[in-house]
Amino acid sequence: KARINRNYRKVVENVKSEFMGDDVMNFLCFGDKNNKSILFIHGMASTAMLCYEPILKHLSDYYVILAEVDGHSERTDELVSLKNNCNEIENYIINNLSGNLYCLSGFSMGATMAVEIIGKGNVNVAKTHLDAAFLTKMGLLTKPYEYMFCKAIKRIRNGKAIPKFMMDAVMGKDNNSIIEMLYTGITSNTIKNACEFVYRYHIPESIRNYKGVILFWRGSNEQYPRKSVTLLKKYLPTIIDIEIEYMGHGQYLHEHSDEYANNLIEYLQS
């Protein structure tokens, strides 16, 4: 862990020095750049390291890049636009990987962003891994969901519990993974701007042109990812759709990280 943290600090400094200004996204890089590349995008109200640090030890044969979404780290300003962050990830792939990425992997909000990136088709992504992508429009429920999300985080900060029936309904029965992966420094403005993108997201028609392989993971206790993969199959019917039994939102990644990494590697090597 100490070695990872040293590399982590070094990478942040190196990446910032490559760009003009401090308003560019942070990208944390691990491993040999000559290896096959994997870029991970974390979930809403979490951080890149909270989500993915447990699986890094399994990915030493790959060049791993963790994108830090704006507003989801003490090193970044508040999130203004997830669409802009998608553009910055594209630019990173173009400028640092010659426009070619072996695998793009996203969790929750990060998976929605991954769909946006491969849908635009500006970079070449051989394989895509979507963990619980949220692609279902919430419509009139968008604002109430934003409000509830902000209130829930405020309760957690104040040491108050969120009613269990609400957690079970949204995150899956007996699932505390999202709370344990929570970035408590997130602001209400960042949450609102993230929700505006995710809860109103429309899959681009151009995603039909994507030629890579897509693996979609979703827990059996997750409601919205099930609807999302059904919607995505209308555009890309060859998606590999895997349901993970007894898992809620983020639970497989957080509570079973070793198995998660091993199954991801199996997909990468297939």
Side-chain angles (χ1 to χ4, degrees):
K1 183 175 181 182
R3 178 177 59 82
I4 289 176
N5 287 340
R6 285 197 298 272
N7 291 341
Y8 167 58
R9 289 192 294 270
K10 181 180 179 182
V11 166
V12 173
E13 292 170 358
N14 288 345
V15 170
K16 279 193 173 182
S17 68
E18 293 176 7
F19 298 95
M20 299 296 291
D22 295 326
D23 58 342
V24 179
M25 286 181 69
N26 287 326
F27 296 88
L28 315 179
C29 307
F30 305 88
D32 187 341
K33 195 172 182 179
N34 294 317
N35 292 337
K36 289 181 178 179
S37 54
I38 311 172
L39 191 149
F40 291 94
I41 313 175
H42 60 81
M44 189 190 303
S46 187
T47 72
M49 293 299 280
L50 282 172
C51 282
Y52 295 116
E53 183 177 16
I55 70 174
L56 287 177
K57 61 186 177 183
H58 297 279
L59 299 171
S60 58
D61 292 335
Y62 296 88
Y63 182 57
V64 178
I65 306 143
L66 307 184
E68 288 194 312
V69 177
D70 288 349
H72 291 72
S73 162
E74 67 274 9
R75 288 166 297 279
T76 61
D77 295 328
E78 281 188 336
L79 174 70
V80 175
S81 167
L82 277 184
K83 188 174 286 289
N84 287 347
N85 273 199
C86 290
N87 293 338
E88 290 192 52
I89 292 171
E90 278 185 355
N91 290 336
Y92 181 88
I93 296 170
I94 292 169
N95 294 328
N96 294 275
L97 300 170
S98 302
N100 298 299
L101 184 69
Y102 183 63
C103 181
L104 178 61
S105 177
F107 162 59
S108 192
M109 173 191 75
T112 306
M113 295 173 69
V115 169
E116 173 73 3
I117 291 167
I118 65 171
K120 291 168 65 181
N122 295 328
V123 292
N124 180 40
V125 180
K127 294 192 174 189
T128 301
H129 171 239
L130 305 175
D131 180 359
F134 199 105
L135 307 172
T136 307
K137 289 185 179 181
M138 299 305 296
L140 295 176
L141 291 176
T142 298
K143 291 298 182 182
Y145 265 64
E146 290 176 9
Y147 175 79
M148 287 190 293
F149 210 134
C150 291
K151 292 291 287 185
I153 291 178
K154 186 175 181 180
R155 287 184 65 88
I156 295 170
R157 281 184 186 143
N158 294 334
K160 297 179 180 179
I162 300 173
K164 188 176 184 302
F165 76 92
M166 292 180 62
M167 286 295 297
D168 287 352
V170 178
M171 300 300 174
K173 183 176 174 57
D174 298 325
N175 178 20
N176 292 317
S177 294
I178 296 300
I179 293 177
E180 292 170 3
M181 288 193 291
L182 179 70
Y183 171 52
T184 57
I186 197 165
T187 66
S188 295
N189 283 337
T190 289
I191 294 170
K192 290 175 182 177
N193 290 332
C195 288
E196 282 294 319
F197 178 87
V198 173
Y199 295 157
R200 299 185 189 277
Y201 184 71
H202 179 74
I203 301 171
E205 283 291 326
S206 55
I207 200 171
R208 299 180 189 274
N209 299 323
Y210 179 66
K211 303 302 182 184
V213 183
I214 301 182
L215 173 65
F216 195 114
W217 284 354
R218 54 187 175 82
S220 60
N221 293 336
E222 295 185 277
Q223 177 184 359
Y224 291 110
R226 184 185 305 116
K227 295 179 179 179
S228 295
V229 73
T230 300
L231 180 61
L232 193 55
K233 283 178 181 178
K234 295 179 180 179
Y235 297 83
L236 297 166
T238 59
I239 287 175
I240 304 167
D241 177 21
I242 304 294
E243 181 179 273
I244 314 297
E245 287 189 345
Y246 313 118
M247 291 293 104
H249 198 61
Q251 207 165 1
Y252 192 42
L253 173 60
H254 183 64
E255 296 182 11
H256 305 274
S257 56
D258 289 347
E259 182 180 332
Y260 188 103
N262 289 333
N263 283 331
L264 177 58
I265 291 171
E266 183 178 336
Y267 167 61
L268 296 174
Q269 294 178 346
S270 65

